[in-house]
Amino acid sequence: MNRRRCVNAAITVVCALTVLASPALTLQASAAPTAPLAPSAPQAPTAPATPLPPGPPAAPKKTLEEVRKEIDVLYRQAAAATDAYNLAEEQTKEQSAEIVRLAQMIVAGNEKIDALKARAGAAARAQYRNGGLPDGAQFVLTDDPQLFLDNAGRFKEGQKATRDLLAEMTRTQAQLTVYAKDAGTNWTKLEANRVKQAAAKKDINDKIAAAKKLESTLAAEELERLRRLEEQDQYRLQTAWVNTGVLKGLNTTATPQGKRAVEFATAQIGKPYIWGAEGPDSYDCSGLTQRAWGVAGRNIPRTSQEQWRLLPKVDIKDMRPGDLIVYYKDASHIGMYVGNGAIVHAPRPGRDVTLAGAGSMEILGVVRPE
């Protein structure tokens, strides 16, 4: 009996030691709920978070000089587009006038055809009354020899008149065909130039809007500094140009026509630049030079590129007041030389007609309207 108690006691001690040696089991057992739980739905494995890619580096802030150059390029591109617009406008005007002229000639030609048809109809009716023979033929077929001789010449004249009438009708009809064809060709060109004009207008507005947007990002103080940078750059270029000695020996006397052109151009100082404008309240660069020389009695082309292409060129050492200086490789700007190394010109949108150094921009060449 004692031995059985000892065995039971030993088993009890071993079980206690086993439980004490397994704390996880003890905690798990103590944490178990008294009632069984419903089985839970299997959980999808969670994907590891993908790191976001690094954003683009912030663009470095442009210097005011970089902004100035970018604005200058945009306005020069707008000036080139303005020349394209002005040229298309001039061609549109010319073609419209030609279409009107051709239309008038077609009307006159049709009236002439109607008159010729009336004459031919009168002759046909006369032949019908005479049994199908013209009046002259009736006299020629007479039995009276003297009457035959007297009227043979008249018969030949009648035949010639009929041939001339038919020939005139044929010629007039051919002219009408040519007029109609020319009118159609001019109409096609007119529509093509209207398309060019619209495209150039959009280009101008886009470039000016882009330049103004850049300017709008600047504070008032920066805008004033921007203007000073423009003036400093112009002064630098003008000084370098003058230092070449280009002004030595230049003719300072304008012709009477040149003097009138200079007087008109300088009288416009202070009026705003507006692209496509020809005065009297605003101008673009070539609108000013064309108008000034028009007042002086000389009609010149509308655009700076056409003025460069068509007007007589002179060497810069032979330049005199009233001559026109063309700027940049694309001839997109022009001003009038007024003497003492200066020009009067309409610079760009946002600026007024003003005096400037003749060498303050890249010179392409000089033309003389006289």
Side-chain angles (χ1 to χ4, degrees), residues 250-263:
L250 272 186
N251 191 342
T252 59
T253 305
T255 64
Q257 268 192 313
K259 185 179 179 182
R260 287 182 64 193
V262 168
E263 287 173 349

Side-chain angles (χ1 to χ4, degrees), residues 52-238:
L52 293 173
K61 183 176 174 59
K62 294 178 182 177
T63 66
L64 198 58
E65 176 62 14
E66 288 172 333
V67 172
R68 183 193 70 78
K69 288 180 178 178
E70 192 171 343
I71 289 173
D72 185 57
V73 167
L74 286 167
Y75 278 126
R76 281 184 53 195
Q77 290 172 342
T82 298
D83 241 25
Y85 175 90
N86 288 338
L87 181 59
E89 185 180 43
E90 283 296 292
Q91 290 172 338
T92 296
K93 288 178 183 176
E94 291 171 5
Q95 282 146 6
S96 295
E98 181 64 11
I99 287 170
V100 169
R101 186 184 72 84
L102 289 167
Q104 291 170 342
M105 293 174 71
I106 288 170
V107 169
N110 281 324
E111 290 175 350
K112 186 175 181 180
I113 286 285
D114 290 341
L116 291 171
K117 285 180 178 178
R119 285 171 55 191
R125 287 191 295 273
Q127 289 183 19
Y128 177 77
R129 288 193 300 269
N130 294 325
L133 293 175
D135 292 337
Q138 296 288 338
F139 288 112
V140 171
L141 295 177
T142 181
D143 293 332
D144 185 340
Q146 186 60 46
L147 191 58
F148 174 85
L149 293 174
D150 291 342
N151 292 289
R154 187 182 300 173
F155 176 60
K156 289 182 180 179
E157 289 175 3
Q159 283 184 317
K160 183 178 182 302
T162 300
R163 287 195 302 271
D164 290 347
L165 176 62
L166 293 174
E168 184 68 14
M169 287 180 67
T170 302
R171 187 163 51 251
T172 304
Q173 191 63 56
Q175 287 174 342
L176 287 174
T177 302
V178 172
Y179 296 158
K181 183 179 179 181
D182 288 349
T185 300
N186 276 279
W187 183 263
T188 301
K189 290 179 180 178
L190 178 68
E191 290 305 305
N193 277 313
R194 282 176 177 163
V195 171
K196 288 181 187 175
Q197 212 172 335
K201 183 175 181 179
K202 182 180 183 306
D203 196 17
I204 295 164
N205 287 331
D206 287 348
K207 300 301 183 189
I208 292 175
K212 287 183 175 178
K213 184 177 179 181
L214 270 175
E215 290 177 327
S216 70
T217 63
L218 303 176
E221 181 183 346
E222 289 177 312
L223 284 172
E224 183 56 33
R225 285 178 56 210
L226 182 70
R227 184 183 284 272
R228 287 201 300 270
L229 282 174
E230 288 179 1
E231 292 171 351
Q232 288 168 9
D233 188 60
Q234 291 167 3
Y235 179 78
R236 177 182 60 80
L237 292 171
Q238 173 72 0

Side-chain angles (χ1 to χ4, degrees), residues 83 285-291 293 300-313 324-326 331 334-335 366-369:
D83 241 25
C285 66
S286 57
L288 175 65
T289 54
Q290 184 196 43
R291 180 66 179 148
W293 271 102
I300 64 175
R302 172 62 180 90
T303 71
S304 60
Q305 292 173 345
E306 290 295 281
Q307 289 173 13
W308 169 246
R309 187 173 71 87
L310 297 174
L311 295 178
K313 295 175 177 59
L324 305 179
I325 303 181
V326 185
I334 196 165
V366 181
V367 293
R368 178 167 293 162

Side-chain angles (χ1 to χ4, degrees), residues 241 246-247 250 293 304 307-328 331 333-338 343 358-359 362-370:
W241 183 69
V246 67
L247 298 180
L250 272 186
W293 271 102
S304 60
Q307 289 173 13
W308 169 246
R309 187 173 71 87
L310 297 174
L311 295 178
K313 295 175 177 59
V314 297
D315 196 291
I316 201 164
K317 65 182 177 59
D318 298 320
M319 183 170 61
R320 67 190 183 202
D323 288 346
L324 305 179
I325 303 181
V326 185
Y327 294 94
Y328 306 117
H333 191 68
I334 196 165
M336 180 179 293
Y337 184 65
V338 295
I343 60 166
E362 176 192 345
I363 295 176
L364 176 63
V366 181
V367 293
R368 178 167 293 162
E370 294 177 278

